[in-house]
Amino acid sequence: MAINAYLNFNGNCREAVEFYAEAFGTGKPQIMTFSDTPPNPEYALPEEAKHLVMHARITVNGSDLMFSDVFPGMPFTAGNNISLSVMSKNIDEIKTYFNKLKEGGKVGMELQETFWSKCYGQLTDKFGIQWQFNHEE
């Protein structure tokens, strides 16, 4: 069974998903906007919702990350209550991902050897998402 993370953004989801796709080298993501959904004659889609991302997905090392903008008028809380963990047997891969995601973000712990890992680090990216990087043997 896979566990997938779903990340919500407040109008900048397209920028975020394209940033992550580039950082992890997943290729161009498919992005569905709210205007791509079938029209509902009982509910006109607000103009400010049409360009927002309804759903996008990328696969990173076999795990899916899914993305969406919140619908206009819905509450939004920055993602500081979520931490995503990237585990890899390849230290060079960990270093590459860490260095790309720290651009514009804040490093909480530089990559370093710990008692549980040859290479571990933490950061909060420029979108407020917390990441952990861990070498697994």
Side-chain angles (χ1 to χ4, degrees):
M1 177 176 75
I3 297 174
N4 301 317
Y6 209 110
L7 307 176
N8 291 303
F9 295 89
N10 197 22
N12 62 342
C13 183
R14 181 179 300 274
E15 178 187 358
V17 72
E18 289 175 351
F19 173 76
Y20 294 133
E22 194 280 325
F24 290 111
T26 66
K28 187 172 174 70
Q30 289 189 346
I31 297 174
M32 176 187 289
T33 64
F34 285 102
S35 66
D36 293 330
T37 61
N40 180 345
E42 296 176 23
Y43 181 75
L45 187 65
E47 195 63 35
E48 66 270 21
K50 291 182 178 179
H51 74 282
L52 296 176
V53 174
M54 182 177 148
H55 180 75
R57 179 180 55 84
I58 62 173
T59 302
V60 179
N61 288 344
S63 295
D64 289 338
L65 292 178
M66 296 178 287
F67 305 83
S68 179
D69 279 311
V70 295
F71 200 78
M74 299 298 291
F76 174 79
T77 303
N80 63 359
N81 63 335
I82 188 169
S83 178
L84 301 176
S85 180
V86 176
M87 300 184 70
S88 176
K89 295 180 181 192
N90 183 328
I91 289 177
D92 290 333
E93 184 175 65
I94 290 171
K95 289 177 181 177
T96 298
Y97 294 161
F98 185 91
N99 288 328
K100 287 186 177 184
L101 290 182
K102 76 178 185 181
E103 293 174 11
K106 181 180 178 184
V107 174
M109 181 178 180
E110 285 289 348
L111 289 175
Q112 59 192 270
E113 188 169 343
T114 64
F115 69 90
W116 70 87
S117 175
K118 289 183 180 179
C119 185
Y120 176 83
Q122 324 172 341
L123 61 84
T124 301
D125 69 24
K126 66 182 179 180
F127 298 104
I129 304 300
Q130 296 178 36
W131 295 86
Q132 298 179 52
F133 296 83
N134 194 39
H135 178 259
E136 62 180 359
E137 295 189 42

